[in-house]
Amino acid sequence: MSITADSIFTMPDLPEVGHNDFERAARILRARTGIVLGGHKRDMAERTLAMRARRQGLASVKEYLDHLESDSQSEHWETFINSFTINHTAFFREQHHFPILAEFVKTRKKPISVWCCASSTGEEPYSIAITLREACVSPDSGVSILATDIDTHAIERAREGVYSMERVKPVPEEHLRKYFQRGAGKRAGMVRVKPELRNMIEFEVLNLLSPNWPPSQSFDAIFCRNTMIYFDKATQTRILERFAVTLKPGGLLFAGHSENFTYLTKAFRLLGQTVYVAT
């Protein structure tokens, strides 16, 4: 059986998906979050949308999208957005950044604050916390981390701070013993971040397109790594310029290995190794 571009088809046991539903959903997602949903994700996205519609007892994806567009405060926005966020992360990912952060904070006066603005399931902010505890004198006072992400489920997992032994393999053994508790019984094979590490971090849900930031506080460093690649250039530029006014004088922005901001804005100057300083 052939399916034309103009047809409407039905996935097995799932509501109808119209031929324009993907484009419409991509438009809605981009307007709400800035995330660009590429055409190569069409099949995955259409199945996800159909599953979301089925869970709401709707006959079609069109009805699901109609509901989202008619109610900007709907509780279903949360699951819609979570469905299209990517939570690829690891402890001490792009490891070269952490010695740079350690040396940098040694030159800063307290209070020292770092914003991890795409914290996912917590591996990155906990890596930052370990680095700060090792680098700062008396890290229990005047040292803090704000960890935010748009994905509510990811933030919940980050707050728990529970990981498999496989996930914490990149953590040096001495830091694993110092900052993690090993599970027993039903928790065997798992570890949990110790309170002294968790207490350094405030976890919040935040959309980088929200008008309600930058926060009232300012930061010595911002980690925004492997996140901008999901935005178009105009959105990247707006976010970078907002980062610039959120940083303290001489503050650093840490970017992902595939991200280059030098041609987007004059608000930052490249120091090297995907680290930028606000100009």
Side-chain angles (χ1 to χ4, degrees), residues 10 52 75 81 89 156 164 193 200 213 264 267:
T10 305
R52 295 262 74 88
E75 61 183 9
I81 292 170
T89 186
E156 288 173 7
S164 67
V193 176
M200 296 175 66
W213 76 270
L264 289 175

Side-chain angles (χ1 to χ4, degrees), residues 27-42:
R27 223 169 29 244
I28 293 171
L29 181 69
R30 185 171 181 171
R32 187 85 170 196
T33 68
I35 296 172
V36 177
L37 194 61
H40 64 288
K41 296 183 178 179
R42 186 183 191 103

Side-chain angles (χ1 to χ4, degrees), residues 1-4 6-19 21 46-47 50-51 53-54 58-61:
M1 180 181 69
S2 63
I3 299 176
T4 67
D6 295 327
S7 66
I8 292 178
F9 64 92
T10 305
M11 295 181 181
D13 302 319
L14 291 176
E16 292 180 341
V17 181
H19 74 283
D21 287 341
E46 287 180 338
R47 184 166 183 83
M51 291 174 66
R54 181 175 64 182
L58 301 174
S60 69
V61 170

Side-chain angles (χ1 to χ4, degrees), residues 210-231:
S210 169
N212 298 324
W213 76 270
S216 56
Q217 69 184 112
S218 55
F219 300 93
D220 294 272
I222 295 175
F223 277 67
C224 185
R225 306 191 303 172
N226 307 300
T227 301
M228 293 290 208
I229 55 175
Y230 300 106
F231 303 141

Side-chain angles (χ1 to χ4, degrees), residues 57-239:
L58 301 174
S60 69
V61 170
K62 179 182 182 301
E63 291 181 43
Y64 176 62
L65 298 177
D66 286 346
H67 170 74
L68 291 176
E69 290 199 300
S70 66
D71 184 359
S72 63
Q73 302 302 315
S74 171
E75 61 183 9
H76 300 309
W77 275 107
E78 180 178 311
T79 53
F80 173 74
I81 292 170
N82 289 353
S83 297
F84 297 107
T85 55
I86 298 172
N87 294 311
H88 179 64
T89 186
F91 282 95
F92 293 99
R93 186 183 184 192
E94 302 192 35
Q95 199 276 335
H96 65 280
H97 280 159
F98 296 96
I100 294 172
L101 175 66
E103 291 305 311
F104 172 70
V105 296
K106 290 175 183 177
T107 69
R108 308 291 284 187
K109 293 182 179 180
K110 289 186 178 181
I112 294 171
S113 57
V114 177
W115 179 15
C116 176
C117 70
S119 63
S120 187
T121 48
E123 289 89 337
E124 184 168 289
Y126 288 126
S127 300
I128 294 169
I130 292 171
T131 302
L132 296 183
R133 289 198 73 85
E134 293 295 310
C136 295
V137 178
S138 304
D140 288 315
S141 62
V143 181
S144 64
I145 300 163
L146 173 64
T148 65
D149 200 279
I150 196 171
D151 189 325
T152 57
H153 294 162
I155 285 292
E156 288 173 7
R157 289 182 59 192
R159 284 196 184 105
E160 291 174 358
V162 176
Y163 302 96
S164 67
M165 287 300 298
E166 183 68 24
R167 294 298 295 171
V168 297
K169 277 186 176 180
V171 180
E173 183 61 34
E174 64 271 24
H175 293 161
L176 194 59
R177 291 194 301 268
K178 190 173 182 179
Y179 296 115
F180 293 83
Q181 299 169 320
R182 293 180 184 266
K186 293 182 179 180
R187 289 285 191 176
M190 307 294 287
V191 296
R192 183 170 188 171
V193 176
K194 288 184 177 180
E196 56 263 39
L197 215 59
R198 291 204 312 273
N199 292 343
M200 296 175 66
I201 307 173
E202 180 181 358
F203 289 100
E204 293 182 5
V205 176
L206 184 138
N207 182 345
L208 287 176
L209 262 63
S210 169
N212 298 324
W213 76 270
S216 56
Q217 69 184 112
S218 55
F219 300 93
D220 294 272
I222 295 175
F223 277 67
C224 185
R225 306 191 303 172
N226 307 300
T227 301
M228 293 290 208
I229 55 175
Y230 300 106
F231 303 141
D232 60 29
K233 288 183 174 59
T235 303
Q236 290 175 2
T237 301
R238 289 198 302 273
I239 291 173

